[in-house]
Amino acid sequence: MLYTVKEVSELSNVTIKTLHHYHKIGLLLPCKISEAGYRLYGTKELERLQEILFYRELDFSLDQIKEMMEHHSDRLSILSQQEELLLCSKDRLDTIIQTLRKSIACVKEGETMDNKEMFKGFENEEEWNKALTEQNQYLKETYGMESHEVAPTDVKELNEQAVEAMTFMNEMASSLREGLKHNDEKTRNLIRCHLEFMNKHGHKASVEDFVAQTRFFLSDDFHLKMLESQQTGLAYYLSAAAESFAATNQ
């Protein structure tokens, strides 16, 4: 059975204008055009529209949605990825709600929240090694990489790096939420300062290295999930920002 644009609009609550736009940018193409010039959509097109709407609920841009759907051609792969992202988003919102409730309780009781709960660093090598267990195991099983053991002498430097990395990612996530473009001057300055910090603290990282790292985050399930759980779209935003930064710093 085939559906006209008007019928698809009524089924999905997506405006006719939006469906026309999706066609124009190549995101959702009709399966055929009638002799009278009407766009006609079948079951596969309806399924693709549903997938697009799931991504829109996750606040992805149309360009990001198009790119992701090109990399995940089968419906099960797309739906599975969307389920993971939605669950990560749910977990993040649950955490925010818990923090909000605690903040409200503190206000009602006339208390001030302890910032250490938000920015508490790892205090010794045992805590660091425990925290890195899952990542080390994943890297070993997936890429055959040997586990990195944290020594007591590494802790101070790792704490500093963790705070800087957290600050950088939080700022990038904030920029994304604020709607700043990936090539905004603010995001370029954030990347510049991050690379300067890394190079000053013994981690030689060129602009090309940073671009390669952000591309890896997109292709690696562990790191992609980690970034997306912090802020939906962060991994894609970070990669686009890195590419833009590299283009202006050649």
Side-chain angles (χ1 to χ4, degrees), residues 128 148 150 153-162 164-165 191-207 209-210 213:
W128 266 106
H148 173 70
V150 176
T153 54
D154 298 333
V155 173
K156 183 176 184 297
E157 183 179 352
L158 285 173
N159 284 340
E160 292 175 352
Q161 291 174 12
E164 195 281 332
I191 294 174
R192 184 178 297 107
C193 292
H194 177 62
L195 291 178
E196 287 176 357
F197 177 92
M198 295 295 289
N199 282 286
K200 287 179 181 179
H201 289 76
H203 291 272
K204 298 300 180 183
S206 66
V207 175
D209 292 334
F210 183 66
Q213 183 185 50

Side-chain angles (χ1 to χ4, degrees), residues 6-219:
K6 182 180 179 181
E7 290 171 330
V8 173
S9 175
E10 292 173 348
L11 280 170
S12 63
N13 292 318
V14 176
T15 66
I16 294 175
K17 182 178 179 181
T18 297
L19 292 172
H20 285 174
H21 181 63
Y22 287 174
H23 182 190
K24 180 179 179 180
I25 65 176
L27 182 59
L28 179 66
L29 304 178
C31 62
K32 63 182 296 185
I33 305 293
S34 71
E35 293 182 0
Y38 292 109
R39 298 173 173 86
L40 299 175
Y41 300 81
T43 300
K44 288 186 177 179
E45 288 70 41
L46 292 180
E47 290 176 347
R48 184 175 176 88
L49 177 59
Q50 183 200 46
E51 293 158 9
I52 292 169
L53 295 180
F54 278 134
Y55 278 131
R56 292 298 284 160
E57 285 296 318
L58 288 160
D59 293 327
F60 285 111
S61 70
L62 295 181
D63 287 340
Q64 290 171 328
I65 294 172
K66 187 176 180 181
E67 181 181 351
M68 287 186 294
M69 295 185 78
E70 288 174 353
H71 286 86
H72 297 271
S73 56
D74 64 290
R75 180 166 167 79
L76 180 58
S77 174
I78 291 175
L79 293 176
S80 297
Q81 183 204 44
Q82 290 175 328
E83 181 184 27
E84 283 190 25
L85 292 175
L86 283 167
L87 287 173
C88 287
S89 180
K90 177 181 178 297
D91 290 342
R92 183 176 62 83
L93 287 174
D94 286 342
T95 300
I96 291 173
I97 290 171
Q98 290 175 11
T99 302
L100 176 61
R101 286 173 176 168
K102 188 167 184 179
S103 300
I104 292 172
C106 287
V107 171
K108 288 182 177 179
E109 295 171 8
E111 299 177 354
T112 302
M113 279 190 72
D114 186 357
N115 288 334
K116 291 181 180 180
E117 293 183 7
M118 225 176 297
F119 302 105
K120 184 177 180 181
F122 297 103
E123 298 174 357
N124 55 56
E125 70 276 11
E126 290 181 1
E127 291 185 13
W128 266 106
N129 285 320
K130 182 179 179 180
L132 293 173
T133 297
E134 183 182 358
Q135 182 178 11
N136 282 334
Q137 183 177 354
Y138 173 81
L139 292 175
K140 184 175 183 179
E141 293 175 352
T142 308
Y143 302 103
M145 296 174 62
E146 292 299 321
S147 299
H148 173 70
E149 291 293 325
V150 176
T153 54
D154 298 333
V155 173
K156 183 176 184 297
E157 183 179 352
L158 285 173
N159 284 340
E160 292 175 352
Q161 291 174 12
V163 171
E164 195 281 332
M166 179 185 67
T167 301
F168 171 66
M169 285 301 181
N170 284 344
E171 288 289 341
M172 290 297 291
S174 177
S175 296
L176 175 58
R177 287 192 296 270
E178 292 171 7
L180 293 182
K181 293 184 177 180
H182 65 274
N183 57 354
D184 189 270
E185 184 63 25
K186 178 182 176 181
T187 60
R188 288 201 293 267
N189 286 334
L190 288 172
I191 294 174
R192 184 178 297 107
C193 292
H194 177 62
L195 291 178
E196 287 176 357
F197 177 92
M198 295 295 289
N199 282 286
K200 287 179 181 179
H201 289 76
H203 291 272
K204 298 300 180 183
S206 66
V207 175
E208 292 73 22
D209 292 334
F210 183 66
V211 171
Q213 183 185 50
T214 60
R215 287 175 180 168
F216 171 74
F217 289 161
L218 286 178
S219 63

